Amino acid sequence: VLRNPENFTVTTGINPGELYLKIKGSNAHSIIFEYTEDPPTPTSVWIRTTCTKSRCTVSGLEAGKRFWFRVAAVGSRNQVAWGETVLSPYVQ
């Protein structure tokens, strides 16, 4: 049974313009991370990045901005289990 991703954290990366994403508690085949600028609106575009591990670095972000991130686990049969949506710290 595919579990929802848990304990989703977003922290500043080691380089300017980076945010580091991490989850715990998923048995997923791959992980989908999506993000949009703060504040989200009904017309916000969510940018998707797929990772095979439970952590990922998003780079090229504009310094001084915050982003909303959401996460989903994808199973081996393409089933999807959505997890938390969190607000990032300010990008350095």
Side-chain angles (χ1 to χ4, degrees), residues 40-86:
T41 67
T43 59
S44 291
V45 175
W46 288 84
I47 299 166
R48 179 176 285 195
T49 184
T50 302
C51 300
T52 56
K53 298 181 180 183
S54 60
R55 57 192 175 276
C56 191
T57 301
V58 177
S59 58
L61 301 172
E62 187 177 338
K65 292 198 175 220
R66 293 177 85 181
F67 294 84
W68 283 94
F69 284 85
R70 58 189 181 192
V71 61
V74 180
S76 60
R77 296 185 183 135
N78 290 325
Q79 66 272 45
V80 177
W82 285 94
E84 303 169 80
T85 300
V86 298

